[in-house]
Amino acid sequence: MTKAVSRAALKALPLAISLTLSAGLAHASDAEGEFHGYLRAGVGSSSEKGPQSCYDLGGNTMKYRLGNECDSYFEGGYTKELAKSDNGVSWVGTLWIDAYKNGSDFGNAKPEIAKAYVEAKGLDFLNGGTAWIGKRYYFRPDIHMLDLQYINLNGTGGGFDKVGGFGPGKLGYAVFKDNDTNEIDATTGKVKNTPAAVRQNFIYEGVPVNENGSVDMAFTLISAQGDNRHNGWQFSVFHKQDKVFGGANTFGIQYGVGPGTGIGGPCCDRIGSSGSTTLGSDVTRLRIFDNLVIQPTAQFSTEFIALMQRDKSDAQGSSTWTTLGARPVYALTKNFKLQAEIGTSRVTQPNGGDALRLTKLTFAPTLSMGEGYWSRPELRAFVTYGKWNDAATAAVNASNNSGPVYGSKTSGTSVGIQLETWF
């Protein structure tokens, strides 16, 4: 075997192991465990030819995703009860992998461990709560239209979930170690600093406040470990109203300081996990949103979003992102839907220049598992049109995965096909 072939085989080995693991787990029965995951993939072209183009202002914003996702993503894995104590405590293990590619082909996307943790469920001294340690997804509700996890507490750590006995709600506490690396001096090879931070999360959820309505609260305290680094915090309150025209409404208010803003964090500047500890207390983020999903009839459903986010700092000034959007869906048959999505965003510039504006419109005939808004899998064809102002041209070109193909133009069209499923 040549060295080139050997290197190629070694590079392919993690993917082969992951696929073998996934294939084996997928055939496991419910009695043995559960296999769950998420997949999206597709392909398209733009009016400028070449790859599909996606319309986004980048920076502190998120894009409207129907017919406007130019990437490929998979996450999935296995959850199994490992053992059960005589007193009924269940010991459950979870292992997931994920793979991401900023394009239509997974190609050489590198599989990585997304979850690897063990839980002890039903502990009497936690009033039926759960203890856990490992790497996991943790308290990450989202606005589906924007793919915005408005709070995301993922990470590696340990804690307690849904502990009873503390009033009308359930209490959760977890501690994580974020950005757990050292900065090495390239000349001397010595450690010069660290971006690491200890993050503590406190959650109080499911507090009933009105008929079919409840409140969740989440507080994060971030302690920087590096020299000349900064601590931070965030506090979020969410009100969820169930049984609203067959759906639910979530209203949220969030405020973060320094690394508590999530800015410079591991993904998408999400509030909850530690952002950059180089950010001081002058850096703040305020977010207010309302997200409504309704299903008034079996055939008709719609998601709405209204959001305002203001970022401030002494160095960068103030910038505000506001957005409004809707995704109406009508099922013509049990397995065929017509979907549309319109979203408009505006971002003010700290220097007082013209605000950036972008509007995106998509039409997507869809084959679906069922009539409901959340029914998946979905196999979609789509046509997407984007329109932006001159001030937004550079931002649209910079955030487009296929490069600055639009030049000085202020509109574009993309067409394609996409699947989305969770299981």
Side-chain angles (χ1 to χ4, degrees):
M1 181 182 291
T2 65
K3 291 184 178 179
V5 173
S6 178
R7 286 195 297 268
L10 289 173
K11 290 181 178 179
L13 185 58
L15 178 59
I17 293 172
S18 302
L19 292 176
T20 301
L21 175 65
S22 299
L25 298 179
H27 289 87
S29 69
D30 288 342
E32 295 172 333
E34 295 181 347
F35 179 71
H36 296 290
Y38 172 87
L39 171 66
R40 69 168 177 262
V43 68
S45 296
S46 78
S47 53
E48 302 304 303
K49 302 179 181 180
Q52 175 192 352
S53 292
C54 285
Y55 308 106
D56 184 10
L57 292 176
N60 62 347
T61 75
M62 296 291 287
K63 65 177 180 287
Y64 286 87
R65 62 190 298 195
L66 183 66
N68 199 37
E69 292 180 295
C70 294
D71 56 3
S72 304
Y73 181 66
F74 166 79
E75 61 182 27
Y78 195 54
T79 296
K80 178 178 173 56
E81 185 177 69
L82 306 176
K84 195 161 189 174
S85 301
D86 293 341
N87 61 357
V89 175
S90 177
W91 300 81
V92 179
T94 296
L95 179 63
W96 277 36
I97 61 167
D98 63 13
Y100 174 82
K101 191 70 173 182
N102 189 24
S104 62
D105 188 345
F106 277 100
N108 61 349
K110 180 183 177 182
E112 297 182 340
I113 298 295
K115 303 181 187 181
Y117 66 101
V118 172
E119 304 167 275
K121 294 185 174 184
L123 294 163
D124 54 2
F125 66 89
L126 295 180
N127 291 313
T130 298
W132 64 272
I133 292 178
K135 180 177 182 178
R136 67 174 298 181
Y137 296 165
Y138 192 69
F139 200 72
R140 52 169 210 160
D142 74 333
I143 298 168
H144 181 73
M145 285 176 63
L146 296 173
D147 200 17
L148 171 61
Q149 293 166 2
Y150 46 85
I151 188 166
N152 180 316
L153 306 183
N154 294 359
T156 300
F160 307 98
D161 286 341
K162 300 187 184 301
V163 180
F166 293 89
K170 298 289 187 179
L171 183 67
Y173 170 78
V175 59
F176 296 86
K177 189 70 177 297
D178 292 337
N179 310 317
D180 199 19
T181 60
N182 283 322
E183 295 177 358
I184 307 298
D185 188 294
T187 302
T188 66
K190 295 182 179 180
V191 174
K192 61 179 182 179
N193 209 341
T194 178
V198 175
R199 168 167 54 95
Q200 299 182 76
N201 292 118
F202 303 84
I203 299 171
Y204 193 55
E205 59 183 319
V207 182
V209 292
N210 63 295
E211 186 176 359
N212 301 318
S214 62
V215 165
D216 297 340
M217 293 171 280
F219 176 68
T220 301
L221 183 64
I222 297 169
S223 302
Q225 293 197 310
D227 296 332
N228 300 312
R229 300 282 179 145
H230 302 281
N231 302 331
W233 59 272
Q234 74 81 27
F235 182 66
S236 298
V237 180
F238 311 114
H239 177 269
K240 184 176 182 180
Q241 188 68 41
D242 289 326
K243 298 183 180 180
V244 181
F245 298 106
N249 184 80
T250 301
F251 174 77
I253 301 177
Q254 302 175 267
Y255 188 76
V257 174
T261 61
I263 296 171
C267 177
C268 310
D269 293 350
R270 291 169 176 162
I271 292 175
S273 59
S274 301
S276 172
T277 54
T278 63
L279 304 178
S281 60
D282 63 300
V283 180
T284 63
R285 169 169 286 176
L286 170 68
R287 180 189 292 150
I288 302 172
F289 69 88
D290 192 80
N291 182 215
L292 172 66
V293 178
I294 62 173
Q295 183 96 36
T297 72
Q299 293 77 32
F300 178 69
S301 58
T302 304
E303 181 176 5
F304 301 94
I305 178 63
L307 180 148
M308 184 282 294
Q309 178 177 291
R310 185 189 67 196
D311 292 334
K312 294 178 64 177
S313 74
D314 290 346
Q316 302 296 326
S318 175
S319 176
T320 301
W321 167 41
T322 53
T323 190
L324 289 169
R327 184 192 292 188
V329 181
Y330 189 80
L332 296 175
T333 72
K334 182 73 174 180
N335 302 115
F336 181 63
K337 299 174 178 176
L338 295 179
Q339 301 192 68
E341 184 178 85
I342 184 168
T344 184
S345 292
R346 178 179 184 268
V347 178
T348 63
Q349 299 194 64
N351 61 12
D354 291 341
L356 284 60
R357 298 177 183 271
L358 168 65
T359 298
K360 189 230 64 165
L361 175 64
T362 296
F363 176 68
T366 302
L367 297 178
S368 177
M369 187 276 291
E371 298 168 310
Y373 186 83
W374 301 112
S375 294
R376 299 295 187 277
E378 286 191 347
L379 305 179
R380 308 162 181 156
F382 64 83
V383 178
T384 295
Y385 174 74
K387 175 67 178 176
W388 54 94
N389 64 352
D390 289 334
T393 299
V396 171
N397 279 319
S399 62
N400 185 6
N401 75 306
S402 57
V405 298
Y406 290 108
S408 60
K409 295 180 179 179
T410 57
S411 66
T413 302
S414 63
V415 297
I417 54 177
Q418 185 193 45
L419 76 87
E420 182 184 49
T421 187
W422 46 72
F423 46 90

